[in-house]
Amino acid sequence: MLSTKKTKILMILATGTILIIIILFAILLFLSPGKPKPFLNANNNLLENSISEKVFLEINGSLQGLFIKGENSNNPVILYLHGGMPDYFLTEKYPTYLDKNFVMVWWEQRGCGISFNSNQADSNVTLEQLTDDAITLTKYLMNRFNKDKIYLMGHSGGTFLAIHVVDKAPELYHAYIGVAQITDQRESEKLAIQFMLSKSEEINEKKTVEILERVSDFDKGDLPEEYIKIRDIVMHKLGIGTMREMRNLVTDLVLPSLLFREYTIPEKYNLWAGKSKSGISQNWNRIFNTNLRESKTVFKVPVYFFHGIYDYTCSYNLAKEYFKLIEAPVKGFYTFSESAHSPLFEEPEKM
């Protein structure tokens, strides 16, 4: 009798679990039409001359995806280079408003997001390949929108790629805009560890303090594995990660990506499947071991840095030092006093 009761309870629990999974999947399916949201006027009609497209192009032998968004397709064009994982989905919760004055092209680099290909997931994408991809895409955009030049904007790891793009083909760009500019990432990580150690001691996070103390003296070689495991979690907890107010990776990053309507369900999966394994992320070791203050200080295009003062993912202070060394036709450094790593999402009005 007892065994029969247990069996019934287990069956009820199993059935309930299956129903919950089916309901959650149905909700996710409803929230995943995979179509870009159009621009509408005050009468809820399509805004004249606006553009809102999800485009797939064959770029140097690889099918790659991008979102093209603008309230006026005649506006100047900005090609945005993300820092490793595509972050266009954040515009749903954190609109940048850049598409009011520009045609924004959110390119999801080779192997990333909607450009993810499981058959190529383990292939080694080089910085040179990505550079050529960006230049090929730029020429497509110039031709499509009838522009002599466009603007190039890089964010985080995308800034490392962007400076190689403008170095190889400066004639294609009005200017380079670096958001959270990478400079000397090895030194940046040392500064981040020192800051996190100090703050963790203040709030008595003993376990975190123990780990950070063990890794604080790293010099040569790769970042210690135990630091990598806690890095993003601690940065976000202390408000020095993706955004100043973004404190939880699951609720503030994973959940918004799942709720983003312009991705299909497979694309939402691919967004995370390709994280840290595709695009510029595959060149982490090269980024980590390059000091741009020594290797790249002369630019043939105007250069503008936009940097959050609370950014320890890519050091604000190192970016300011680097900026002073740069030679360019015109240059400007803009401090975002309420931002960490993503001023385009954190202070969109100022941006």
Side-chain angles (χ1 to χ4, degrees):
M1 178 72 99
L2 191 60
S3 178
T4 305
K5 244 182 178 180
K6 282 184 177 179
T7 301
K8 283 183 178 179
I9 292 170
L10 288 173
M11 286 181 67
I12 292 170
L13 289 173
T15 303
T17 301
I18 291 170
L19 282 173
I20 290 171
I21 291 172
I22 291 172
I23 291 169
L24 289 175
F25 183 79
I27 293 171
L28 186 59
L29 187 63
F30 175 74
L31 293 171
S32 309
K35 295 180 180 179
K37 191 184 295 182
F39 292 98
L40 304 176
N41 60 24
N43 297 319
N44 215 34
N45 296 320
L46 189 65
L47 186 64
E48 187 178 356
N49 211 33
S50 64
I51 182 168
S52 179
E53 294 183 1
K54 185 181 189 178
V55 180
F56 290 90
L57 301 172
E58 189 79 22
I59 301 176
N60 300 329
S62 170
L63 188 65
Q64 300 180 38
L66 49 139
F67 293 87
I68 304 177
K69 309 280 289 189
E71 291 191 4
N72 186 337
S73 59
N74 293 319
N75 278 339
V77 176
I78 293 179
L79 173 57
Y80 177 82
L81 309 185
H82 63 74
M85 189 181 83
D87 48 11
Y88 169 62
F89 71 89
L90 288 172
T91 61
E92 180 77 19
K93 186 175 180 180
Y94 306 99
T96 66
Y97 306 116
L98 290 170
D99 46 30
K100 290 183 177 294
N101 299 300
F102 299 92
V103 174
M104 287 296 299
V105 180
W106 302 87
W107 171 41
E108 310 212 341
Q109 299 160 22
R110 181 184 291 252
C112 297
I114 61 174
S115 302
F116 180 81
N117 183 334
S118 59
N119 295 324
Q120 300 174 350
D122 296 325
S123 62
N124 184 30
V125 178
T126 67
L127 178 65
E128 288 71 25
Q129 276 181 307
L130 292 170
T131 299
D132 288 341
D133 285 353
I135 290 171
T136 298
L137 177 54
T138 294
K139 291 176 179 177
Y140 162 82
L141 295 169
M142 289 166 60
N143 181 62
R144 177 171 177 184
F145 293 100
N146 193 29
K147 304 293 185 186
D148 294 328
K149 296 182 179 183
I150 68 170
Y151 290 90
L152 189 67
M153 178 184 290
H155 176 226
S156 189
T159 65
F160 191 82
L161 170 58
I163 64 169
H164 286 83
V165 175
V166 295
D167 189 55
K168 187 170 184 178
E171 71 280 1
L172 304 181
Y173 303 100
H174 288 298
Y176 161 55
I177 304 162
V179 184
Q181 177 66 48
I182 275 182
T183 300
D184 177 353
Q185 198 56 29
R186 180 180 292 278
E187 184 62 27
S188 180
E189 296 294 341
K190 290 179 184 177
L191 294 173
I193 289 172
Q194 291 170 12
F195 179 85
M196 289 189 285
L197 179 57
S198 173
K199 289 298 179 182
S200 297
E201 286 173 337
E202 285 180 20
I203 59 178
N204 201 30
E205 289 279 359
K206 293 181 180 179
K207 192 171 182 181
T208 301
V209 168
E210 288 174 6
I211 294 173
L212 292 174
E213 283 180 338
R214 281 199 297 270
V215 302
S216 61
D217 291 330
F218 90 91
D219 188 16
K220 296 180 180 178
D222 298 333
L223 282 177
E225 189 65 32
E226 59 179 340
Y227 168 62
I228 294 173
K229 288 179 180 178
I230 67 166
R231 177 186 184 272
D232 287 354
I233 296 171
V234 178
M235 280 188 170
H236 283 85
K237 188 173 183 178
L238 296 176
I240 59 171
T242 305
M243 297 188 206
R244 180 71 174 154
E245 301 302 322
M246 187 179 282
R247 301 305 173 96
N248 188 292
L249 291 171
V250 175
T251 58
D252 294 332
L253 271 179
V254 178
L255 188 58
S257 74
L258 295 178
L259 299 177
F260 188 56
R261 298 179 63 86
E262 298 184 31
Y263 284 148
T264 63
I265 291 178
E267 288 168 349
K268 290 174 181 180
Y269 168 80
N270 290 340
L271 178 72
W272 293 97
K275 186 182 184 297
S276 301
K277 299 176 183 177
S278 305
I280 192 62
S281 292
Q282 285 185 304
N283 293 269
W284 165 252
N285 286 336
R286 187 165 175 178
I287 295 172
F288 185 62
N289 291 299
T290 299
N291 182 352
L292 293 176
R293 292 173 296 184
E294 298 174 352
S295 63
K296 176 58 180 170
T297 57
V298 178
F299 290 78
K300 295 179 181 177
V301 300
V303 173
Y304 305 99
F305 285 176
F306 294 174
H307 218 113
I309 200 167
Y310 295 104
D311 189 0
Y312 276 84
T313 305
C314 296
S315 170
Y316 169 82
N317 289 327
L318 290 181
K320 287 199 80 171
E321 289 177 17
Y322 178 39
F323 174 77
K324 292 175 183 177
L325 300 174
I326 285 175
E327 295 177 25
V330 179
K331 65 177 186 176
F333 191 102
Y334 300 90
T335 294
F336 289 75
S337 58
E338 302 299 324
S339 296
H341 193 52
S342 306
L344 73 164
F345 300 123
E346 297 177 87
E347 295 183 72
E349 293 84 0
K350 183 173 181 178
M351 185 80 174

